[in-house]
Amino acid sequence: MNDLVRQHTALSESDLDWLHLLVSEWQLLSDLSFADLVLWVPTLDGTRYVSVAQMRPNTGPTSYQDDMVGHLVPRGRRPLLDAALDEGRIVREGDPEWREEVPVRVESIPVRREGRVLGVIARNTNLLTVRTPSRLELTYLQSASDLAQMIAAGSFPFPGEQVDMDSSPRAGDGLIRLDAEGGVQYASPNALSAYHRLGLAADLVGQHLGQITAELAPSRGPVDEALVTMASGYAPREFEVEGNGGVIQLRAIPLKPKGTRIGSLVLLRDVTELRRRERELITKDATIREIHHRVKNNLQTVAALLRLQARRMDSDHGREALNEAVRRVGSIAIVHETLSQNLDERVEFDEIADRVIAMVAEISPGKVTCRRNGRFGILDAEVATPLAMVLTEILQNALEHAFAPGDNGTVEVTAVRGEPRADARLLITVKDDGRGLPEGFDPQRAGNLGLQIVRTLVEGELGGSFDMQPGAERGTRVVLDIPVQPQK
């Protein structure tokens, strides 16, 4: 719609925002009218109309099999559009049109904003299945007529009341028509069932909806006057009511077809099962986070025990081996600590990498600086945990073997994340400017424990590749290439 309006019309950005607000609401008008809606806007030169949006009803057959968006028609070809645009009134005159042997009644509703008519909604009703309407259908049609008059007067949609139609109640979910005092004139079967879920034993018709809703909702004090007001439909509101084990979502729409409120339309939906599942998910998420927290605590306890054992070792080699184990356990604990603070099993790995770098840098034999470039991005837990251990091992290896005590140097970790697609890769380079690899060193066959851990995790668990190479001028360059899931 943005492209069509900006390309073909003279409407301003604020006018376009109004049309977006209308389009976010007009599924309701389509459903209540049992009709297709097409929004036509005059072109910049005023000689044609361009269709910028279309909506089909959920409550009846469509009048258009094809997509109408983007069509251009000259003025004069559709007289009802001309009359609605020029006179600023709803136009219903004329005989039904025949489209592919289907009779269609066409009406035109001007779209007004701040006294100006921006465009025209063509309301097209398929008459092939016309029959004697029920009480529900008559209420739908009357409510649609009121909303159409409000659109023509510029009082609907309501400014500042952007509605998410994916989550808001729809006409078919349940509908209640109120009079100006908040009394129920009509309640659809679905609406009545929803109130029965709240504990209502009687009929809704004739009841004051605000009062009966407040009585059904649990309250320890006096009647909730705010709830009474919201459920009476005096202002556009969306809210939920919970009682008797049920949860009802309501949306109130004041009806002011001639500027004065004549009543309200209340759409409602029983969301009891939806909210129950949401609470179960929240409980499950909390449980998972608590598990990660406890795993982190247990790992920290293990690290503390290993640290105590290292202090009691007489052998320098044994003490260093235990300290390496402490850092390995610590890298896993960092991942679980991060997961304990998240709502899902994905982590921002840059923070983890920085903490691993800081932890390993404590063993630096001299004035060696460790830093990170680039971004790892968000990774799944099953990637983050082994990758944290791999990064720990590579950094430990660089700090222990690349530099002599008292040396100055740099260890640089660089991460390059590939394009966000199914075969995305993460390229990690750990480069130092130390003494370099020994003569004849083969990283794929070297037998020290750290490199064995790296090879096993990178090739086995992460499904990637690992290589160690001499640096361009000096030092060593370690390259990891692993597949990752696209970032969301």
Side-chain angles (χ1 to χ4, degrees):
M1 186 167 75
N2 287 350
D3 293 340
L4 289 171
V5 168
R6 289 168 181 156
Q7 179 182 354
H8 294 286
T9 78
L11 298 182
S12 65
E13 289 298 318
S14 58
D15 293 333
L16 180 57
D17 290 341
W18 182 262
L19 294 184
H20 274 294
L21 189 60
L22 172 66
V23 168
S24 73
E25 294 273 23
W26 70 344
Q27 178 71 66
L28 175 60
L29 177 63
S30 177
D31 290 345
L32 293 176
S33 304
F34 309 98
D36 291 73
L37 305 179
V38 180
L39 177 58
W40 296 92
V41 180
T43 56
L44 184 62
D45 58 9
T47 62
R48 296 181 295 175
Y49 298 97
V50 58
S51 58
V52 298
Q54 179 179 1
M55 179 58 65
R56 292 183 172 89
N58 294 317
T59 52
T62 183
S63 302
Y64 286 110
Q65 298 299 325
D66 299 326
D67 188 359
M68 295 296 296
V69 175
H71 283 215
L72 290 162
V73 297
R75 276 184 65 96
R77 180 173 296 179
R78 302 193 177 185
L80 296 186
L81 295 182
D82 298 339
L85 182 69
D86 298 338
E87 301 172 22
R89 65 180 179 88
I90 298 175
V91 183
R92 297 189 176 92
E93 297 89 351
D95 297 327
E97 297 180 3
W98 286 85
R99 299 177 188 162
E100 299 180 359
E101 300 183 354
V102 175
V104 177
R105 182 175 64 243
V106 181
E107 304 166 81
S108 295
I109 305 167
V111 177
R112 193 183 303 273
R113 174 180 179 262
E114 296 180 351
R116 296 180 299 112
V117 177
L118 307 182
V120 179
I121 294 175
R123 181 163 55 177
N124 304 267
T125 307
N126 187 322
L127 301 178
L128 194 61
T129 58
V130 169
R131 54 184 174 77
T132 303
S134 64
R135 177 77 187 281
L136 181 144
E137 292 168 332
L138 289 173
T139 303
Y140 272 32
L141 293 172
Q142 180 58 54
S143 301
S145 176
D146 293 335
L147 287 177
Q149 292 182 59
M150 292 169 65
I151 292 172
S155 58
F156 186 83
F158 303 109
E161 291 292 328
Q162 186 76 34
V163 175
D164 183 359
M165 292 307 298
D166 291 333
S167 61
S168 290
R170 300 194 177 193
D173 296 326
L175 179 143
I176 298 175
R177 174 84 184 217
L178 305 180
D179 60 24
E181 304 302 321
V184 178
Q185 294 179 321
Y186 174 78
S188 71
N190 284 347
L192 188 58
S193 297
Y195 265 82
H196 285 165
R197 186 73 175 264
L198 288 180
L200 179 68
D203 193 2
L204 269 175
V205 176
Q207 304 266 20
H208 188 280
L209 188 66
Q211 292 288 348
I212 199 69
T213 303
E215 291 171 5
L216 292 171
S219 176
R220 296 181 180 178
V223 173
D224 188 342
E225 294 297 334
L227 182 57
V228 172
T229 301
M230 287 190 293
S232 299
Y234 293 113
R237 291 288 185 273
E238 189 166 325
F239 56 98
E240 288 188 3
V241 176
E242 184 170 357
N244 194 40
V247 184
I248 306 301
Q249 183 183 16
L250 300 98
R251 183 190 175 202
I253 303 172
L255 297 176
K256 304 176 181 178
K258 296 182 180 179
T260 302
R261 181 175 167 276
I262 63 169
S264 302
L265 199 62
V266 178
L267 306 178
L268 65 157
R269 178 171 56 182
D270 185 346
V271 292
T272 304
E273 292 304 312
L274 178 63
R275 296 294 176 259
R276 181 185 63 80
R277 288 195 296 269
E278 287 177 350
R279 288 166 184 163
E280 288 179 351
L281 287 174
I282 290 172
T283 302
K284 179 181 177 182
D285 288 340
T287 302
I288 292 173
R289 290 199 299 273
E290 178 61 22
I291 290 171
H292 284 301
H293 182 71
R294 294 188 182 187
V295 170
K296 182 264 297 184
N297 288 344
N298 291 338
L299 289 171
Q300 288 180 337
T301 301
V302 172
L305 292 173
L306 291 173
R307 202 175 290 113
L308 286 173
Q309 186 67 37
R311 292 172 185 168
R312 295 175 178 269
M313 292 288 292
D314 295 329
S315 166
D316 291 340
H317 181 73
R319 187 183 304 112
E320 182 55 34
L322 286 175
N323 285 332
E324 287 182 1
V326 168
R327 287 188 286 273
R328 288 166 184 148
V329 172
S331 65
I332 303 174
I334 290 172
V335 177
H336 282 281
E337 182 179 3
T338 306
L339 287 168
S340 71
Q341 300 168 1
N342 288 353
L343 294 177
D344 55 20
E345 292 291 288
R346 292 167 68 82
V347 295
E348 179 63 63
F349 196 80
D350 295 320
E351 178 185 351
I352 293 174
D354 290 339
R355 294 180 62 181
V356 167
I357 291 170
M359 177 182 68
V360 178
E362 295 176 358
I363 69 169
S364 172
K367 299 178 181 179
V368 179
T369 302
C370 298
R371 61 172 178 260
R372 172 178 63 86
N373 294 321
R375 294 191 68 250
F376 290 85
I378 298 174
L379 298 176
D380 292 334
E382 55 264 30
V383 174
T385 301
L387 183 57
M389 284 195 66
V390 167
L391 191 58
T392 301
E393 295 298 331
I394 294 174
L395 289 171
Q396 280 187 171
N397 191 67
L399 291 173
E400 288 179 3
H401 301 294
F403 303 98
D407 283 354
N408 293 327
T410 302
V411 178
E412 186 174 345
V413 180
T414 303
V416 178
R417 186 81 176 244
E419 292 295 323
R421 58 193 187 196
D423 58 346
R425 313 287 296 186
L426 177 60
L427 185 66
I428 304 166
T429 305
V430 181
K431 181 174 62 176
D432 67 68
D433 54 3
R435 67 185 72 174
L437 296 173
E439 188 71 26
F441 180 82
D442 183 356
Q444 301 302 327
R445 296 185 179 182
N448 81 57
L449 178 60
L451 289 181
Q452 288 181 12
I453 291 174
V454 170
R455 285 197 299 268
T456 300
L457 293 178
V458 172
E459 297 172 1
E461 289 199 33
L462 296 175
S465 62
F466 156 73
D467 192 20
M468 292 182 73
Q469 311 159 354
E473 298 179 0
R474 56 178 298 184
T476 305
R477 184 169 175 265
V478 179
V479 180
L480 305 175
D481 185 2
I482 62 175
V484 291
Q485 292 294 321
Q487 297 191 72
K488 297 181 181 179

